Amino acid sequence: SQNTLSGAQDAVIFKMPPTLSSLMWSTYLGGSGEETGNSVQVSSNGTVYVAGGTTSSNMPISGGFDNSFGGVVDGYVARLNGNNGNLMSGSYIGENEYDQVYFVQLDVDDRVYVLGQTESDLGVTGGLYGNPNSGQFIQKYSSNLATREWRTMVGASSGHVEISPTAFLVSDCYEIYFSGWGGVLNVNNGNAPYSTTNGFPVTANAYQPTTNGNNFYIGVLGQNAGNLKYGTFFGGTANISDEHVDGGTCRFDKSGRIYHAVCGGCGGNSNGFTTTPGAFSTANGSSNCNLAAFKFELNQIDALISVPNTTVCIPNPAVFTNNSANGNDFFWDFGDGNTSTDVNPSHQYGSAGTYTVTLIVTDSNQCFSPDTTQLVLNIGDFGGGIVPLPGPICPADTAQLEAFGGAVYVWSPAQFLSNPNIADPLVSVTQDTDFMVIISDSCGIDTAYITVEVFAPSGNISNDTIICIGESVQLQASGGVSYVWTPGT
């Protein structure tokens, strides 16, 4: 460890227990110039990594990729023993202009990543995504800092520092998240005369695809900076406000969410910063800057289902297409007691009905939170027909016909029906009449027939007869259901 101050300003790294009740070790880190300690990370085995900027050509670092001071201001990254604070290795980062590391991050393999600013054209490793000659750089090193595995530049390719970095993360899935802010406040007060968010790359799904030059920028690179997965501005464009961060209030989490507490609406702009519906406050009540906080989901699982048609006819199977993003484990519930873990399953339903299909998408690497989506399917089993009438009707009386099994009905002859296009029209006829109905739905079509029978009046009575006074005779009537004789006595 380094026990004394070596220059006008050194970085200081120290270790305390979780209770913060004692100082376990503490060390200076620096040379004869000035150093900043901007960021610190601890590896899975307890090794401590620290990064910052230096004007010293004699920092006590060795064993790293670059042990030579480039000039003016260089960035640096150093590795310390977590048990005692002893320096194990380190590397300068930069060339002959201003360079400084703002953040150091580790991936799940304890590889080392740094994000910083530069006035140098540090270059982009072949095959990687990058914006050459930009004012910000990202580099990856081996765990012992002896090897630089790759480097890239991100920004507007202006040849100058463009933004002030605010947050940096490498997720458990090796995706690289970074953010920063730029604009006139940096130009006027931050020794960054070319600061702007103009010219930064955005993706087609950007939350805010345009900028007034005074915004935050949020970006996501794929594993090993292979591609730009997401890029967006944030902060609004309606009014020019000096939106900024004074430091230490911005974080990413390992699931790809960004949390920022920033100075927004500066200059007293009442609507100088983006707000969302239902926000605690949608206007700046201050005469100058106000606290603006936002949470941004940069990468998430999106569970999505598509089917050729939401109506499926038995015996055809339901075929599902899984359009989900960022997940690799799938659980399907078909709503009839059956499930599947296939990516794109098909399922045979046994009976008609309406079923809610549920898809739960998870990530086996636990990089992202699970997501769930549902889809309603109509399962049809066509079988049209007509319910028989209970018997004949009287002439001109009304009866109700009843067909079933379809969605569309067409009866004929229509002139005897109350409505020929419903399942159960009323019918009135004076003689036996044959009716036809065409029954159809998305699963089929059929034709059914029924005869409406009408009672034919055919009453008969026994022949006239002559009897003597006091005698009786049996009268007989037929052809009816009930009979009323007169005179009754």
Side-chain angles (χ1 to χ4, degrees), residues 228 285 305 308 329:
L228 178 66
I305 307 172
D329 283 341

Side-chain angles (χ1 to χ4, degrees), residues 169 177 251-259 295-299 368-369:
L169 177 84
Y177 302 80
R251 297 290 185 274
F252 290 100
D253 70 20
K254 289 290 188 179
S255 295
R257 301 179 185 90
I258 184 172
Y259 303 82
K295 173 184 176 182
F296 207 101
E297 190 87 34
L298 286 173
N299 222 338
F368 312 114
S369 301

